[in-house]
């Protein structure tokens, strides 16, 4: 072996990256002060992109395949190097391998609750968590904007930046969905968030192909209110439910032998059924003299001073009651309210 051959053997002749990690986005090929010889072989595997950087400037990028590094494959780098004598001399250039596969182990969550305004429950604080995947779509942009000259740029170095974007977008996505529809809309929200985040990250060479919302949790008091509403829907007729509860109480108290308990239980059940019957105006505590109660569509309003009844919506058919009256009565049948209801004037006298 001649001295020239020995020197040539010190130059790097295979440029490749065998990734033995699961979290490396960018890996810089180590030169160890050696040079890459002209005619060396570049191996770029699937899910990789090789980027050549010359004196801090991105020169060439190679997609998956096997290349012989020569003038026709390095047009930009050849121009930057300024070779003039056959382009056979070795060259120095930094080579960055960028992984373009999906990194699907990113997690996200709301450190602080997100305040949203629900049309039915009002202001509500929500927490949520899930996972998403990220992928490099523009290797040169990633090097320029995020990785820089880092010899091994890992997912943990970009995870905090991505999480901030996710939480910022999440508040807007949750604000437009009613609480009772959140579970059914999680998949669609995740799809829209993936599209929005991909658009936000286009400038740094990243994309979010999938975004998953695993859970959205409500404050305990809101969950209890939802449970109560569900129970009310299952009960149906509250009067029948009251009778059923009274019958169960009698059975637990000792059966038919307890005559007094039987009568009291039946009376209690009837009283509860009457109290829970819808559209039933109910009397309140005795009002002050001269104060009225109005009943419309099963609801009660008052007490109201007599002078304020016209402004409260009093009509001829409105049910009215005050202390001393045996029952609710239409306003037209109460003589003392006649001046407030107006009347039809008599015909004019003849001229």
């Amino acid at each position: 072996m001649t001295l020239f051959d020995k020197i040539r053997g010190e130059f790097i002749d295979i440029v490749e990256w065998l990734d033995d990690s699961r979290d490396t986005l960018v890996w810089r090929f180590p030169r160890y002060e050696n040079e890459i010889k002209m005619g060396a072989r570049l191996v770029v595997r699937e899910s990789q992109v090789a980027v050549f950087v010359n004196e801090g400037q991105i020169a060439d990028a190679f997609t998956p395949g096997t290349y012989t590094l020569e003038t026709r494959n390095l047009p930009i780098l050849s121009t930057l190097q300024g070779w003039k004598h056959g382009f056979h001399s070795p060259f120095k250039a930094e080579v960055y391998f960028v992984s373009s596969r999906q990194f699907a182990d990113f997690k996200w969550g709301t450190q602080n609750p997100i305040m949203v305004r629900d049309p039915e429950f009002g202001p509500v604080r929500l927490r949520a968590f899930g996972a998403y995947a990220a992928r490099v779509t523009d290797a040169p942009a990633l090097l320029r904007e995020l990785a820089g000259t880092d010899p091994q740029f890992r997912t943990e170095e970009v995870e905090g930046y991505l999480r901030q974007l996710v939480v910022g977008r999440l508040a807007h996505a949750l604000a437009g969905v009613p609480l009772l529809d959140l579970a059914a809309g999680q998949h669609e929200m995740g799809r829209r968030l993936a599209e929005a985040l991909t658009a936000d990250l286009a400038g740094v060479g990243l994309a979010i192909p999938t975004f998953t919302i695993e859970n959205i949790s409500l404050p305990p008091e809101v969950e209890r209110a939802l449970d109560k509403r569900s129970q009310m829907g299952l009960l149906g007729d509250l009067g029948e439910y009251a009778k059923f509860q009274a019958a169960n109480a009698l059975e637990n108290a000792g059966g038919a032998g307890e005559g007094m308990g039987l009568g009291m239980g039946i009376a209690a059940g009837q009283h509860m059924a009457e109290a829970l019957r819808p559209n039933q105006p109910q009397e309140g505590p005795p009002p002050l003299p001269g104060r009225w109660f109005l009943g419309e569509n099963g609801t009660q309003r008052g007490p109201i001073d007599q002078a304020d009844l016209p402004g409260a919506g009093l009509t001829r058919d409105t049910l009215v009651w005050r202390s001393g009256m045996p029952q609710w009565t239409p306003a037209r049948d109460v003589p003392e309210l006649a001046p407030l209801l107006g009347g039809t004037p008599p015909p004019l006298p003849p001229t």
Side-chain angles (χ1 to χ4, degrees):
M1 177 183 296
T2 63
L3 178 62
F4 179 73
D5 292 334
K6 183 177 181 179
I7 295 175
R8 282 175 56 93
E10 295 179 357
F11 299 145
I12 298 172
D13 57 2
I14 297 179
V15 181
E16 63 180 351
W17 177 34
L18 298 175
D19 185 11
D20 58 357
S21 72
R22 301 297 301 169
D23 62 351
T24 303
L25 285 166
V26 180
W27 181 77
R28 185 174 66 194
F29 184 80
R31 288 187 292 114
Y32 302 113
E33 298 183 358
N34 290 330
E35 295 179 326
I36 302 173
K37 68 172 63 173
M38 183 63 68
R41 186 174 64 171
L42 171 67
V43 180
V44 184
R45 289 171 171 80
E46 290 289 344
S47 74
Q48 293 180 354
V49 175
V51 180
F52 281 67
V53 177
N54 179 71
E55 296 181 358
Q57 181 178 355
I58 294 177
D60 293 291
F62 293 86
T63 55
T66 301
Y67 306 88
T68 300
L69 298 180
E70 55 188 21
T71 307
R72 65 183 181 88
N73 287 334
L74 297 163
I76 301 177
L77 185 59
S78 299
T79 302
L80 294 175
Q81 292 284 0
W83 291 312
K84 301 178 181 179
H85 304 287
F87 302 99
H88 295 301
S89 60
F91 61 91
K92 290 185 178 182
E94 295 176 323
V95 182
Y96 291 87
F97 284 90
V98 180
S99 178
S100 59
R101 69 173 180 86
Q102 282 195 41
F103 291 85
D105 53 353
F106 286 100
K107 303 293 184 182
W108 66 270
T110 53
Q111 184 176 4
N112 299 312
I114 297 174
M115 181 69 74
V116 299
R117 182 179 297 277
D118 185 77
E120 188 169 357
F121 295 93
V124 180
R125 292 175 288 109
L126 300 178
R127 293 182 180 272
F129 65 87
Y132 63 96
R135 165 182 283 168
V136 178
T137 55
D138 188 338
L142 181 70
L143 288 175
R144 285 192 299 264
E145 303 297 333
L146 294 180
T149 58
D150 192 339
Q152 192 167 13
F153 187 65
R154 297 180 178 272
T155 55
E156 63 184 18
E157 299 179 61
V158 75
E159 189 170 7
Y161 168 69
L162 295 178
R163 187 182 297 113
Q164 292 177 358
L165 291 179
V166 167
V167 175
R169 279 285 184 177
L170 185 67
H172 178 73
L174 293 177
V177 182
L179 289 184
L180 299 180
D181 297 333
L182 283 177
Q186 285 182 191
H187 177 74
E188 180 62 22
M189 280 192 293
R191 186 189 63 80
R192 293 201 307 266
L193 281 168
E195 294 177 354
L197 290 169
T198 297
D200 292 341
L201 294 168
V204 297
L206 291 173
I208 306 297
T210 60
F211 189 94
T212 303
I213 300 175
E214 297 181 15
N215 183 63
I216 300 175
S217 59
L218 305 172
E221 58 272 18
V222 178
E223 292 183 350
R224 288 194 293 268
L226 290 175
D227 291 341
K228 290 290 185 183
R229 176 169 296 188
S230 299
Q231 292 173 4
M232 296 293 287
L234 291 174
L235 295 179
D237 190 330
L238 295 180
E240 294 299 323
Y241 173 72
K243 295 177 183 178
F244 174 74
Q245 289 289 82
N248 282 342
L250 290 175
E251 181 179 352
N252 295 332
E258 302 287 345
M260 183 176 296
L262 176 62
M264 293 178 63
I266 295 175
Q270 292 174 345
H271 178 73
M272 292 178 62
E274 185 70 20
L276 294 172
R277 184 174 298 142
N279 300 327
Q280 176 75 18
Q282 299 181 21
E283 299 181 7
L288 295 174
R291 308 198 76 185
W292 296 82
F293 287 84
L294 305 183
E296 292 179 339
N297 299 323
T299 60
Q300 172 183 305
R301 293 187 292 133
I304 304 172
D305 291 332
Q306 183 165 323
D308 297 330
L309 288 176
L314 180 69
T315 66
R316 295 176 59 83
D317 297 325
T318 303
L319 294 175
V320 298
W321 181 89
R322 74 171 181 177
S323 180
M325 294 178 61
Q327 60 186 5
W328 290 86
T329 306
R332 64 177 177 270
D333 296 333
V334 181
E336 56 192 301
L337 296 182
L340 302 179
L341 298 174
T344 303
L348 295 172
T351 57

